[in-house]
């Protein structure tokens, strides 16, 4: 019995060998596409076995650009269902909705007291969004980085898996954590490091229009929830060129993109088969696309099925969100109690 207990303890130890905390936030806008899946979600799935993990849906952040959401509960449930369908596991990670954890806002307020107009105005994404929505340059948009910092340090997260586009926000988060420590003369918040998704096995998935990355705003996405017929249609429409012109020539970008996708969803044999055909100039793009479409359909089939199951079970989704919120609030309120103590507020 004792041995069993020991083994179990030891296993958890090996299992989550680094008890560092990993956290990432996801904006509830739209559906997950192949780029999200192979670029980020697959890494999250691996990380949840190795670290103390928090993954949350950043619904407050979405108000900075969409102040009057149509149906925020639906958007949140959609993204939650899709993440669960991909394999995020509430038993392994704390999965929650940002707006279910009010402690985040109180910390946001404290951080805002020590965040300065000049530095917030210099953030590139603020400037971009301000340009895009000149009639709605709101304070939430300006303080997006302080809210994000609060999200992260409320759980004293050490590592944050995010894309390159979040680097400046991450720098701000480190700065705010450092500043808090200095301001109050404590070694309280760890400085959160970005966790390169590429190094964690994340892959940059190209779009099918030859324009580079697959992205929602580019309108070139294959969504995990797309029906097979839709996937086939999208793949068959992928941009190509006149075909290979010389033996063993380098592939132009649009063709390289198709091969990158093949590499991700198809078998090595399939990849080699088409690669050889490219090299000896016998490749017919139509054949490649047909195969690629079938392999994408096969790779996403089980996820698509689970998305349907989760989406149709609102009660289950809400139960999972509620349980996640409880766990997240436990961690957040512990930090917040200490923060209140450090600053000098009453602690209950
Ligand atoms: N800003 C992130 C994005 O646009 C979302 C986000 C909000 C986030 N809070 C976070 C990411 C905390 C990581 C950690 O994708």
């Amino acid at each position: 019995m004792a041995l069993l207990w020991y083994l179990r303890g030891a296993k958890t130890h090996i299992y989550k060998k680094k008890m560092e905390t990993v956290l990432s936030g996801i904006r509830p806008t739209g559906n997950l596409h192949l780029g999200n899946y192979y670029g980020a979600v697959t890494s999250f799935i691996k990380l949840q076995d190795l670290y103390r993990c928090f993954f949350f849906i950043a619904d407050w952040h979405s108000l900075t650009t969409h102040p009057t959401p149509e149906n925020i509960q639906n958007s949140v449930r959609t993204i939650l269902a899709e993440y669960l369908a991909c394999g995020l596991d509430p038993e392994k990670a704390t999965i929650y909705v940002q707006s279910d954890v009010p402690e985040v806002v109180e910390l946001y307020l404290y951080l805002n007291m020590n965040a300065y107009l000049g530095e917030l105005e210099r953030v590139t994404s603020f400037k971009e969004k301000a340009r895009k929505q000149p009639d709605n340059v709101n304070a939430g948009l300006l303080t997006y980085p302080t809210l994000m910092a609060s999200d992260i340090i409320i759980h004293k997260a050490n590592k944050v898996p995010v894309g390159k586009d979040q680097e400046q926000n991450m720098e701000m988060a480190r700065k705010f954590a450092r500043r808090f420590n200095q301001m109050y003369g404590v070694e309280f918040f760890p400085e959160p490091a970005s966790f390169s998704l590429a190094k964690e096995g994340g892959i940059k998935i190209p779009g099918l229009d030859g324009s580079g990355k697959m992205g929602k705003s580019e309108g070139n996405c294959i969504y995990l929830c797309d029906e097979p017929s839709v996937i086939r249609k999208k793949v068959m429409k992928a941009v190509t060129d006149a075909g290979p012109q010389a033996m063993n020539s380098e592939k132009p970008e649009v063709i390289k993109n198709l091969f990158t996708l093949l590499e991700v969803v198809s078998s090595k044999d399939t990849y080699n088969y088409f690669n050889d055909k490219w090299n000896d100039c016998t490749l017919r793009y139509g054949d490649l696309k047909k195969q690629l479409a079938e392999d994408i359909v096969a790779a996403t089939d089980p996820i698509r099925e689970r998305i349907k199951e989760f989406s149709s079970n609102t009660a289950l989704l809400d139960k999972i969100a509620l349980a996640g919120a409880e766990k997240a609030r436990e961690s957040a309120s512990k930090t917040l109690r200490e923060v209140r103590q450090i600053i000098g507020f009453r602690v209950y």
Side-chain angles (χ1 to χ4, degrees):
M1 197 61 202
L3 181 66
L4 236 182
W5 181 84
Y6 169 79
L7 279 179
R8 219 177 267 148
K11 192 174 156 216
T12 347
H13 243 80
I14 299 163
Y15 218 24
K16 304 229 167 179
K17 55 179 183 267
K18 301 176 189 163
M19 266 323 266
E20 283 178 311
T21 298
V22 167
L23 172 142
S24 198
I26 304 130
R27 275 174 308 168
T29 46
N31 298 96
L32 287 182
H33 52 72
L34 290 184
N36 300 133
Y37 182 67
Y38 291 107
V41 186
T42 50
S43 310
F44 292 177
I45 310 286
K46 281 187 216 142
L47 291 169
Q48 66 183 353
D49 283 329
L50 299 172
Y51 296 92
R52 172 180 180 248
C53 280
F54 292 89
F55 298 111
F56 72 95
I57 298 170
D59 55 351
W60 275 328
H61 271 110
S62 66
L63 290 185
T64 61
T65 48
H66 298 89
T68 52
E70 181 79 10
N71 191 335
I72 203 149
Q73 300 285 347
N74 269 358
S75 323
V76 166
R77 284 190 193 115
T78 299
I79 204 80
L80 181 60
E82 295 192 344
Y83 271 92
L84 294 169
C86 290
L88 269 202
D89 183 347
E91 299 279 319
K92 296 178 178 172
T94 302
I95 302 165
Y96 64 99
V97 181
Q98 186 183 34
S99 63
D100 285 337
V101 184
E103 287 79 5
V104 171
V105 192
E106 189 174 330
L107 182 57
Y108 168 59
L109 178 133
Y110 300 139
L111 295 181
N112 272 333
M113 298 300 171
N114 304 323
Y116 306 110
L117 183 59
E119 62 188 349
L120 292 168
E121 276 177 334
R122 274 194 301 276
V123 174
T124 317
S125 53
F126 169 71
K127 288 193 275 193
E128 265 169 29
K129 285 179 194 156
R131 201 166 352 99
K132 265 197 216 152
Q133 50 183 68
D135 298 330
N136 182 22
V137 187
N138 60 75
L141 198 59
L142 182 71
T143 56
Y144 189 110
T146 43
L147 183 54
M148 179 158 158
S150 176
D151 290 330
I152 298 169
I153 68 179
I154 194 96
H155 301 298
K156 296 193 172 181
N158 311 93
K159 294 190 152 83
V160 182
V162 279
K164 271 210 196 88
D165 62 325
Q166 295 299 309
E167 207 29 67
Q168 207 176 14
N169 284 335
M170 287 305 301
E171 261 167 46
M172 298 295 278
R174 283 190 283 277
K175 196 193 274 189
F176 295 141
R178 205 159 47 229
R179 191 174 290 161
F180 181 94
N181 291 346
Q182 277 163 2
M183 206 100 172
Y184 301 103
V186 287
E187 277 290 324
F188 186 66
F189 287 120
E191 281 183 37
S194 318
F195 209 1
S196 158
L197 283 170
K199 279 195 204 128
E200 282 308 305
I203 302 159
K204 194 167 117 189
I205 299 293
L208 294 172
D209 50 358
S211 76
K213 211 172 135 174
M214 185 176 286
K216 211 174 336 175
S217 40
E218 281 75 26
N220 59 5
C221 295
I222 294 181
Y223 293 99
L224 295 175
C225 61
D226 277 346
E227 287 300 330
S229 59
V230 175
I231 294 178
R232 290 189 187 105
K233 225 177 270 162
K234 287 182 177 175
V235 174
M236 293 319 282
K237 273 203 286 195
V239 175
T240 51
D241 61 7
Q245 304 295 319
M247 303 275 275
N248 300 313
S249 57
E250 181 150 343
K251 300 182 188 86
E253 168 128 18
V254 281
I255 306 306
K256 222 187 276 169
N257 287 349
L258 292 178
F259 275 90
T260 303
L261 282 168
L262 268 187
E263 210 170 350
V264 173
V265 297
S266 307
S267 71
K268 199 132 201 87
D269 283 351
T270 305
Y271 179 89
N272 290 340
Y273 173 81
F274 287 108
N275 200 39
D276 290 346
K277 289 211 161 261
W278 165 266
N279 282 330
D280 65 16
C281 295
T282 57
L283 178 61
R284 284 173 20 194
Y285 292 138
D287 297 341
L288 185 157
K289 286 179 177 179
K290 261 190 212 135
Q291 182 70 45
L292 178 59
E294 290 321 306
D295 290 345
I296 292 175
V297 168
T300 49
D301 237 353
I303 303 176
R304 198 165 25 254
E305 283 310 305
R306 284 196 299 267
I307 290 177
K308 282 182 193 152
E309 279 168 34
F310 277 115
S311 307
S312 63
N313 196 341
T314 313
L316 176 64
L317 289 174
D318 291 354
K319 208 171 120 193
I320 290 172
L322 189 67
E326 261 170 40
K327 277 204 277 176
R329 291 195 70 183
E330 205 179 296
S331 154
S333 58
K334 181 169 179 290
T335 306
L336 195 59
R337 253 195 317 276
E338 292 172 311
V339 166
R340 291 184 64 113
Q341 204 150 32
I342 289 167
I343 302 179
F345 290 108
R346 204 198 321 269
V347 177
Y348 295 96

